[in-house]
Amino acid sequence: MFTLAHLSDPHLPMPQARVLDLLGKRATGYYNWWRNRVQLHRPEALAGVVADIKAQKPDHIALTGDLVNISLPDEFARASTWLEGLGTPEQVTVIPGNHDVYVATLWREGLGRWGAYMAGDGQPPATDFEVFPTLRRRGPVALVGLNSGLPKPPLLATGTLGDAQIAAAEKLLGELGREGLCRVVMIHHPPLTTESRFKRLTDAAAFQAMIRRVGCEIVLHGHNHRSEVARIAGPQGAVPVVGVTSASAAPGSKYGRARYHLIGIEREAAGWRIAVGIRALKADATGCEPDGRLVFNSGLPAALAA
């Protein structure tokens, strides 16, 4: 069995910023962090989740964005150090979230610091957004990374893939499907048409149409800070779309306690068996404990077990 740990939205602690750094959209985000979000996202919760991931020793780690908050250069530097503590670029795959592109930032001062964690197999560290979709093969699993993060106006947390990225993803997923690999799509925004217009993926309908044509085995996302499951019709049956709670959510927050998902993937006669174990932060924040389980078989509807 191949095991994949999925975490998202760690929202690492915000550094103090200079007034000149807070022009435009960053000002409202900075104020909101210190007024509200600093109590929702706690470093001790994230430390407990990371400790548990390391204790479980997964084969790979998938991180679906929002490492930072308002895209300050110091935030990217701190996140780079944190990523090094989580694992090497060979052990961890990262895609951006909307907070990672909160405003337009020079690549070398921003996402470029994590370029090795975003690059596909055999590729140098990513140097721009053109790198997406990315492909990493790990055992029987093909991790396809998408970028839905684009700088947006104030008060909007929407995401967009764009026609070119969707078309490239369709070609890639078709090829991987013919190879018989378990295709895991990583995206930050939930690719659903029912989301709030202020937080939605603007081209979710186009993404869903693509999945209906070529399929995949599972879609992993973050953004909503909740563990949740939906489905998109695929050529071999329903494709599970699984979101995860923020990995730094405080126990008493509106999101509930921090969680991550430990996903077991194994081949079976009819296709693939994918078991998603939900692991939630313990009361003492020293690690995590089981908090539910989802089992998906070969793209068919999920069976929920306690």
Side-chain angles (χ1 to χ4, degrees):
M1 180 183 292
F2 183 93
T3 56
L4 177 68
H6 173 214
L7 73 159
S8 195
D9 299 79
H11 289 284
L12 297 167
M14 175 90 75
Q16 294 291 330
R18 302 172 303 168
V19 173
L20 290 178
D21 291 329
L22 299 177
L23 299 177
K25 184 179 179 180
R26 277 180 175 153
T28 54
Y30 189 77
Y31 173 77
N32 187 41
W33 171 267
W34 291 110
R35 181 177 181 271
N36 181 33
R37 292 169 69 89
V38 69
Q39 300 302 325
L40 298 178
H41 299 284
R42 302 301 303 163
E44 60 271 20
L46 180 59
V49 166
V50 170
D52 197 77
I53 291 174
K54 291 186 175 183
Q56 296 296 322
K57 299 180 179 179
D59 294 301
H60 197 71
I61 299 172
L63 175 50
T64 49
D66 277 3
L67 283 71
V68 304
N69 302 286
I70 60 172
S71 296
L72 291 168
D74 282 353
E75 286 189 283
F76 287 107
R78 291 185 179 200
S80 179
T81 300
W82 178 81
L83 272 175
E84 291 172 3
L86 181 63
T88 67
E90 290 71 33
Q91 298 168 324
V92 182
T93 298
V94 176
I95 60 166
N98 57 294
H99 281 268
D100 303 321
V101 292
Y102 201 73
V103 297
T105 306
L106 290 175
W107 185 270
R108 66 177 180 273
E109 296 179 359
L111 289 172
R113 293 180 179 270
W114 317 336
Y117 288 88
M118 294 187 292
D121 287 336
Q123 300 299 313
T127 57
D128 57 41
F129 289 108
E130 297 301 317
V131 69
F132 296 100
T134 57
L135 169 62
R136 289 182 162 196
R137 300 168 187 259
R138 298 293 184 270
V141 174
L143 294 156
V144 176
L146 302 180
N147 172 43
S148 60
L150 287 174
K152 296 295 177 96
L155 305 181
L156 285 181
T158 55
T160 302
L161 292 169
D163 293 342
Q165 189 177 181
I166 292 174
E170 179 167 3
K171 182 176 184 293
L172 183 58
L173 288 170
E175 293 170 352
L176 295 169
R178 288 188 287 274
E179 290 183 40
L181 295 171
C182 181
R183 300 162 295 174
V184 177
V185 173
M186 296 171 56
I187 183 173
H188 179 71
H189 291 78
L192 309 172
T193 54
T194 55
E195 296 293 312
S196 158
R197 64 190 182 94
F198 298 104
K199 296 184 64 176
R200 67 190 176 96
L201 181 70
T202 61
D203 43 11
F207 176 90
Q208 290 186 22
M210 180 268 288
I211 294 296
R212 285 196 293 272
R213 290 190 293 269
V214 296
C216 68
E217 279 57 61
I218 191 168
V219 178
L220 304 181
H221 71 82
H223 192 54
N224 284 349
H225 296 187
R226 291 184 172 86
S227 291
E228 54 192 359
V229 63
R231 295 168 182 81
I232 298 173
Q236 281 82 46
V239 173
V241 179
V242 181
V244 67
T245 307
S246 164
S248 62
S253 76
K254 62 183 179 181
Y255 307 119
R257 52 184 172 160
R259 291 175 174 82
Y260 78 96
H261 294 166
L262 191 63
I263 305 170
I265 300 171
E266 58 184 333
R267 196 183 297 273
E268 58 179 19
W272 297 95
R273 183 179 187 274
I274 302 176
V276 180
I278 303 170
R279 295 189 63 79
L281 189 71
K282 293 179 180 178
D284 61 5
T286 58
C288 299
E289 59 191 2
D291 192 39
R293 191 165 177 262
L294 293 162
V295 178
F296 305 95
N297 291 288
S298 299
L300 299 175
L304 177 62

